[in-house]
Amino acid sequence: MPPRKIIIDTDPGQDDAVAILLALASPELEVLGITTVAGNIPLSLTSLNARKVVEVAERRDIPIYAGCDAPMKQALTTAEHVHGQSGLDGYELPEPALPLQDTHAVDFIIDTLRSAPAGTVTLCPLAPLTNIATALQRAPDIAPRIAEIVLMGGAYFEVGNITPAAEFNIYVDPEAAEIVFGCGAPITVMSLDVTHRLLVTPPRVEAIAALGNRTGEVVAGWIGFFERFDTAKYGSQGAPLHDPSTIAYLLDPTLFTGRHINVEIETRSPLTRGMTVADWWGVSDRPANATFMGDVDAPGFFALLTERLAVLP
Ligand code: RIB
Ligand code: CA
């Protein structure tokens, strides 16, 4: 079975970084490129951080493309309060040698989808959907060529994390999310309903720290910083590890359960901007447009993550 071709669209962010490392540690996946976008921190930092992360995996072969530096319509909202000023606080990494590609991320996404056989490239957005939506708006012909969009974003039962109604990735660029959820490509949603069940408890962090490789040390350092905000907010034993859920789904979809339902995005109300209105109970006649995950085998997820991180430098 040839590896599955993916593009990771990201705003690293410690949890994005773990997702990237999980993908690079997994031979079932071929990372065609990493595209960066403004989100957790501004674009200049998400792009710098993506370069640092691939160097943790010693994978300077992975091309990195900088993308959009602001949402399609909204002013940028960032999350330094969660991720720190650098976006990767928790472990000091050296300046990367890997340069950014000259091509813009949106052009890379369009060109890759147009040149690869239809249905062979999967998009994994871990951030606000600005790059993906801009590509779809500029080149609507790519929508039917996308194998699947496996994104981290949204919430239903867990409601919001950046506002009472909205999850951060969708809140930052709701207009982009509306375009993506309406594009017709198969969409799988790893929402807070799933990621809030993926708490990095002390035994789970200790297992990663005890791997004996530098990757284990780095990831444990990132988690140690990243978790302080959510553990204080939720009073939980560890913070939710959001973005790696998308990669784990690609590696073992049996870890997750969900429903194929209608998901619409609130873009008009300032109060509920970015809310994912998920018709979990099928009470509307709106057509299903996404597989919205609702549960996950958390021990199985962490066993997979820890086992894969062990193979990295
Ligand atoms: O709400 C969680 C999401 O917002 C994650 O992707 C995290 O990295 C931040 O981007
Ligand atoms: Ca992210």
Side-chain angles (χ1 to χ4, degrees):
M1 179 93 158
R4 184 167 180 170
K5 297 178 186 303
I6 69 170
I7 294 173
I8 298 175
D9 189 70
T10 181
D11 60 343
Q14 292 88 350
D15 60 322
D16 301 68
V18 178
I20 293 167
L21 291 176
L22 177 56
L24 296 179
S26 302
E28 303 92 323
L29 304 175
E30 180 186 352
V31 180
L32 300 177
I34 292 174
T35 53
T36 59
V37 68
N40 285 321
I41 50 297
L43 177 69
S44 57
L45 287 176
T46 60
S47 303
L48 171 65
N49 291 345
R51 294 158 59 207
K52 288 183 175 181
V53 173
V54 297
E55 292 201 352
V56 170
E58 295 180 3
R59 290 292 306 276
R60 290 181 179 161
D61 57 301
I62 303 292
I64 298 174
Y65 303 85
C68 300
D69 64 2
M72 297 182 103
K73 186 176 162 201
Q74 309 290 341
L76 177 62
T77 301
T78 53
E80 288 87 351
H81 60 289
V82 177
H83 300 275
Q85 288 305 311
S86 76
L88 270 188
D89 286 25
Y91 195 95
E92 199 60 41
L93 290 170
E95 282 304 297
L98 174 69
L100 278 176
Q101 299 293 313
D102 294 336
T103 305
H104 189 282
V106 171
D107 295 324
F108 168 71
I109 292 167
I110 294 170
D111 296 347
T112 303
L113 286 167
R114 281 179 171 164
S115 55
T120 62
V121 176
T122 297
L123 303 181
C124 297
L126 314 179
L129 292 162
T130 316
N131 284 343
I132 312 300
T134 303
L136 286 163
Q137 201 171 54
R138 199 182 297 170
D141 59 287
I142 65 174
R145 306 184 64 83
I146 300 168
E148 186 174 9
I149 299 173
V150 183
L151 67 90
M152 191 278 139
Y156 181 61
F157 293 101
E158 285 296 312
V159 290
N161 59 0
I162 188 74
T163 73
E167 177 279 326
F168 179 79
N169 288 338
I170 309 299
Y171 173 80
V172 169
D173 200 340
E175 287 74 20
E178 186 174 48
I179 290 169
V180 172
F181 277 80
C183 79
I187 297 176
T188 299
V189 182
M190 293 294 158
S191 74
L192 296 182
D193 294 8
V194 163
T195 67
H196 278 191
R197 299 165 191 257
L198 295 175
L199 299 182
V200 208
T201 59
R204 288 167 175 166
V205 185
E206 284 150 24
I208 291 170
L211 285 176
N213 57 358
R214 179 167 176 262
T215 295
E217 248 182 74
V218 175
V219 169
W222 285 336
I223 291 170
F225 179 87
F226 169 75
E227 70 176 4
R228 85 217 179 289
F229 178 80
D230 281 326
T231 47
K233 173 177 171 184
Y234 296 111
S236 52
Q237 275 297 311
L241 197 56
H242 305 287
D243 293 334
S245 60
T246 59
I247 306 301
Y249 168 80
L250 294 175
L251 297 173
D252 182 0
T254 66
L255 290 172
F256 301 87
T257 55
R259 294 182 183 180
H260 191 59
I261 60 171
N262 176 267
V263 179
E264 301 292 339
I265 310 297
E266 174 58 72
T267 58
R268 289 180 293 276
S269 153
L271 180 64
T272 54
R273 156 192 158 183
M275 182 176 188
T276 44
V277 183
D279 190 5
W280 184 262
W281 300 112
V283 295
S284 81
D285 55 3
R286 295 193 292 262
N289 58 343
T291 299
F292 195 87
M293 291 303 180
D295 202 357
V296 58
D297 166 4
F301 168 84
F302 281 101
L304 174 65
L305 175 64
T306 307
E307 166 206 302
R308 293 298 167 100
L309 293 178
V311 309
L312 292 175

